[in-house]
C-alpha cells in the first residue's frame, strides 16, 4: 500500500502534533498558597485532578488521531492489484489511451450507453499488469491530452475518465492520433518498444473511414477496443432550416430531413415549435431512406424568431441515439424587402441601366419590395443606417469608385449584406480591381475583367455556336454556357438553351481566366462565346457577391429587352438572399470555430467589442455565457464592426447576444447530426489493413465486465470514516467525564 500524495503525510504528522502542542502550551499551572481552610479540600481536589487528567488524555488522543487519520485520507493510500506488482528488473509499460467522446458514443444498447462501456474499458486498461505510466487523450472535434506526456499518476488519469462526458461533436480521428503521437515524442527506441496506444471507440464509420495511423511512431502497437454494435437502429433529424425569404406577410417554410438508419421501416411524429405556435406531422420512413417535410409559416411578425424541430419515434427502441432528435432554428423575419440601389442615374431618368434594374427588382411575386436609390457619394463617411438594414445592395452605372466607396461596399459584404454589381462600361473594369484590392483575399474572382472591344473577340468555339444558332456574331455576344443546375438558370430547367438562344448582347466587360491556386472556378455560372464570364456568384466573408456582366440599357442589344430578364433577376436575388446568414442563422457546429458578424445589427447603437459591459450573451438555458475567450466566446472588432468569435463552440441550442439590454443578434449551434447519426461500425479488416499504414493494429471487442480482484483499491474512505469516529469518541469522553 502506497500513498498517492506524499505531502499529505507531513500534514498528517503536523495535524497530530497540533493538539499535543496546544495542550502543553495551555495547560494550567498551579500556585502555592497557604490557606488555613484549604486542608479540608485536599482530599477532594486530588480525586478531581486524577479524573481530569484521564479525561484530558483521552480527549487529546482522540483529537490527535482524528487529525492524523484525516491527513492519511488526503494522502490517498492505494493498494495495488496483485497482478500489477512488478518484479525487480521487469520493464516499464507506457499506455496512451484515446477515449472517443463524440456524439455517437451517447447511443444506447439495452439501456446502457456506449460511453459508459467505453469509460469502464478505458479505466481497465490502466489496471493491466505492467502498466507503469499512462496518458489519456479525450477526443472529439478537438483532442485534449491530460498531461501532454506519459505520467505515473494513473489514479489521476482514471479520475479524468470518470469525469469525462460525451460531447455533441464529431470525432476528428486524425487530431486524436496526432495528440497521442505527441505524448510519445522524445522517447528512444527501447522506450517506444514498451509503449502501446489503446483506442476506445464505437468505430463509427463516418469518423474512422478516413483515419490514418501514420502519425504514430513505427513499432508502437495499436489496440482498438470496440464498444460499438453494428446495426443499431437510429432515427435522426439530419438537417433543418428555413426555405424561402422570411419576410413579414410573405410565405416561407420550415423544412427538415428525417433519416432512418435502421434496417426496418419506422413511424415517427415530427413536431415543430416556432414563435409560440406548434405543428406536427406523422411520417413513415423506410429503412435507409430520407424523408423531407415542411411546415408553412404564415403571419410571422418581424424580428428575431426561434423554434425547434423534435422527432418522436412511435417505437423508442428504433432510436438508439435520442440526442439527435431535436434541431434548433433561428431566423430574422424582415418587415419588408428593402433593396439599396447605388447609381448616378436620376430617379426620373428613363431607359438607363438603373431604370430597368429597379423595375426588375420590384417585380417580386412573393414579397413587397422597396428600392431606395443612393448616390455613390453616400457610401463615403458614416453609412446611412438604412444601408445597413437593406437586404441587398445593387450597384449599376455608378461611375469610378473611390477607395472610400469600395471600402464601404467591402464592409457591407463582410457584415453579411449581399451585393449585386452590374458592370456596364470600361470604367467598371477598374471598379472590379478597386473592389478586389479593398477586400484582399476575401474576394478572389476566377477571372480578370477588362474593357470589351466589340467585334473580333469571339473564340472559334463561340463562332461555331453562333453560326449554328443563325446569329451574326459581329459586335454582339451570345451565351454559350448557362449552368442549369444552379440559380438563376435552374428555374428554366431543360429549356434554358431555348430561352438563351435568342439572347444577343453588346457592352459589358471582357474577361480572361486568372491563374492561381485557391480560385473558385465554379463561381462562373454563365459564359459568352468569347469565353468572357457573363455571371459570377461567390462568397465574400459573411455575404454573397454577384457580378452580372450584361448590358442592361442602351441600344437594342440590351438584356432588359429580353423576356427572361425579370425572372432571371428575381432568381439571382433569391440566390444571393437565400445564402445570406440572416435568414437561417445557423452559426456553426458544436466544437468548431464560429464567427458571427454583429456590426450590421448594431448600427445606431455603436459599441466596440472592448466595451464588454454593454454586451450580454445568453445560452440555451437563458444563463449568461462569459465573453472571456479561451473555452468561451469573445468579441472582436473587424471591418464591419463587432463580431463574435468562438474557437470551440459550446453546447447546442439558440443563443442571444444583446447590446445594452436590447437584441443585437440571434444564432444557433447545431451538433453534427448528419455525420454522427449513422451508427454503423467500420469493419475490422479496414482498420487492421487498409488504414494501418505499416503499423500493428488489432481490433478487439471491449470486455466490460470488471474483476474486482484485479482493481487497485483506494483506502481514503476508510481513513475519513475513522477520523469521523474519533470525533464522536471525543464527544463520548466529554460526556462520560462531565461533572
Amino acid at each position: 500500500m502506497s500513498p498517492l500524495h506524499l505531502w499529505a503525510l507531513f500534514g498528517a504528522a503536523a495535524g497530530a502534533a497540533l493538539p499535543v502542542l496546544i495542550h502543553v502550551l495551555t495547560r494550567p499551572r498551579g500556585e502555592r498558597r497557604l490557606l488555613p481552610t484549604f486542608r479540608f479540600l485536599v482530599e477532594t481536589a486530588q480525586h478531581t485532578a486524577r479524573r481530569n487528567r484521564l479525561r484530558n488524555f483521552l480527549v487529546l488522543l482522540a483529537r490527535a488521531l482524528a487529525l492524523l487519520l484525516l491527513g492519511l485520507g488526503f494522502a490517498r493510500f492505494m493498494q495495488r492489484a496483485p497482478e500489477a506488482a512488478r518484479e525487480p528488473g521487469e520493464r516499464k509499460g507506457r499506455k496512451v489511451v484515446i477515449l472517443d467522446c463524440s456524439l455517437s458514443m451517447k447511443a444506447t444498447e439495452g439501456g446502457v450507453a456506449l460511453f459508459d462501456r467505453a469509460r469502464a474499458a478505458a479505466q481497465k486498461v490502466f489496471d493491466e499488469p505492467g502498466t507503469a505510466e499512462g496518458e489519456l487523450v479525450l477526443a472529439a472535434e478537438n483532442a485534449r491530452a491530460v498531461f501532454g506526456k506519459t505520467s505515473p499518476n494513473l489514479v489521476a488519469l482514471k479520475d479524468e475518465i470518470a469525469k469525462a462526458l460525451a460531447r455533441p461533436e464529431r470525432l476528428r480521428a486524425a487530431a486524436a492520433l496526432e495528440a497521442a503521437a505527441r505524448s510519445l515524442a522524445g522517447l528512444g527506441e527501447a522506450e517506444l518498444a514498451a509503449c502501446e496506444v489503446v483506442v476506445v471507440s464505437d468505430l463509427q464509420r463516418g469518423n474512422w473511414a478516413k483515419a490514418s495511423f501514420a502519425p504514430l511512431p513505427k513499432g508502437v502497437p495499436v489496440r482498438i477496443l470496440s464498444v460499438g454494435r453494428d446495426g443499431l437502429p437510429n432515427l435522426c433529424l439530419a438537417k433543418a432550416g428555413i426555405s424561402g425569404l422570411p419576410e413579414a406577410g410573405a410565405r416561407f417554410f420550415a423544412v427538415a430531413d428525417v433519416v432512418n438508419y435502421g434496417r426496418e421501416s419506422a413511424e415517427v411524429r415530427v413536431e415543430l415549435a416556432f414563435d409560440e405556435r406548434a405543428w406536427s406531422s406523422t411520417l413513415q420512413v423506410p429503412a435507409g431512406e430520407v424523408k423531407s417535410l415542411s411546415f408553412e409559416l404564415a403571419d410571422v411578425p418581424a424580428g428575431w424568431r426561434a423554434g425547434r424541430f423534435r422527432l418522436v419515434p412511435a417505437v423508442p427502441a428504433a432510436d438508439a441515439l435520442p440526442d439527435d432528435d431535436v434541431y434548433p432554428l433561428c431566423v430574422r423575419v424582415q418587415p419588408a424587402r428593402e433593396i439599396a440601389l447605388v447609381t448616378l442615374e436620376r430617379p426620373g431618368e428613363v431607359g438607363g441601366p438603373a431604370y430597368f434594374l429597379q423595375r426588375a427588382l420590384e417585380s417580386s411575386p412573393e414579397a413587397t419590395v422597396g428600392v431606395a436609390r443612393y448616390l455613390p457619394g453616400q457610401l463615403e463617411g458614416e453609412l446611412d443606417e438604412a444601408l445597413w438594414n437593406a437586404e441587398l445592395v445593387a450597384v449599376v452605372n455608378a461611375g469610378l469608385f473611390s477607395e472610400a466607396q469600395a471600402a464601404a461596399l467591402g464592409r457591407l459584404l463582410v457584415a453579411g449584406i449581399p451585393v449585386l454589381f452590374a458592370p456596364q462600361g470600361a470604367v467598371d473594369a477598374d471598379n472590379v480591381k478597386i473592389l478586389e484590392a479593398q477586400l484582399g483575399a476575401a474576394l478572389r474572382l476566377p477571372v480578370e475583367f477588362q474593357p470589351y472591344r466589340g467585334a473580333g473577340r469571339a473564340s472559334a468555339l463561340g463562332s461555331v455556336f453562333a453560326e449554328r444558332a443563325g446569329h451574326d456574331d459581329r459586335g454582339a455576344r451570345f451565351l454559350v454556357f448557362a449552368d442549369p443546375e444552379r440559380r438563376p438558370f435552374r428555374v428554366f430547367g431543360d429549356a434554358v438553351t431555348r430561352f438563351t438562344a435568342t439572347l444577343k448582347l453588346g457592352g459589358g466587360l471582357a474577361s480572361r481566366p486568372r491563374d492561381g491556386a485557391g480560385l473558385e472556378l465554379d463561381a462562373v455560372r454563365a459564359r459568352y462565346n468569347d469565353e468572357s464570364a457573363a455571371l459570377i456568384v461567390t462568397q465574400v466573408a459573411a455575404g454573397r457577391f454577384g457580378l452580372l456582366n450584361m448590358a442592361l440599357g442602351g441600344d437594342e442589344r440590351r438584356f432588359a429587352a429580353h423576356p427572361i430578364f425579370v425572372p432571371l433577376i428575381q432568381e439571382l436575388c433569391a440566390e444571393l438572399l437565400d445564402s445570406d446568414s440572416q435568414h437561417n442563422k445557423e452559426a456553426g457546429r458544436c466544437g468548431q470555430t464560429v464567427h458571427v458578424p454583429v456590426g450590421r445589427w448594431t448600427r445606431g447603437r455603436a459599441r466596440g467589442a472592448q466595451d464588454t459591459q454593454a454586451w450580454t450573451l445568453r445560452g440555451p438555458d437563458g444563463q449568461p455565457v462569459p465573453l472571456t475567450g479561451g473555452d468561451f466566446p469573445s468579441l472582436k472588432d473587424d471591418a464591419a464592426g463587432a463580431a463574435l468569435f468562438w474557437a470551440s463552440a459550446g453546447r447546442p441550442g439558440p443563443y442571444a447576444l444583446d447590446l445594452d439590454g436590447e437584441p443585437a443578434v440571434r444564432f444557433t449551434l447545431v451538433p453534427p447530426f448528419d455525420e454522427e447519426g449513422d451508427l454503423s461500425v467500420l469493419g475490422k479488416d479496414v482498420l487492421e489493413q487498409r488504414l494501418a499504414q505499416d503499423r500493428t493494429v488489432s481490433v478487439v471487442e471491449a470486455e466490460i465486465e470488471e474483476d474486482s480482484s484485479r482493481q487497485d483499491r483506494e483506502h481514503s474512505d476508510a481513513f475519513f470514516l475513522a477520523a469521523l469516529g474519533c470525533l464522536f469518541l471525543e464527544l463520548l469522553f466529554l460526556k462520560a467525564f462531565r461533572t
Side-chain angles (χ1 to χ4, degrees), residues 428-490:
D428 287 321
D430 294 328
N431 285 338
V432 174
K433 294 177 182 178
I434 295 172
L435 194 57
E436 286 183 300
Q438 283 292 332
L439 285 166
L443 177 60
R444 297 190 63 199
L445 298 177
V447 297
E448 182 180 358
F449 285 97
Q450 55 196 12
Y452 176 58
R453 302 302 181 188
R457 288 189 49 85
S459 66
L461 179 63
S463 299
V464 171
F465 275 97
E467 185 178 344
R468 289 180 178 178
H471 294 305
D472 180 8
D473 194 31
R474 290 172 296 178
R477 293 189 292 185
F478 314 95
L479 289 181
V480 295
F481 166 73
D483 190 345
E485 302 297 328
R486 294 183 293 173
R487 282 173 167 169
F489 299 101
R490 186 179 62 192

Side-chain angles (χ1 to χ4, degrees), residues 584-603:
N584 189 14
K585 201 70 179 179
E586 181 180 312
R589 298 293 181 90
C590 297
Q592 298 181 5
T593 300
V594 167
H595 169 238
V596 182
V598 182
R600 175 180 181 182
W601 312 113
T602 57
R603 292 292 161 180

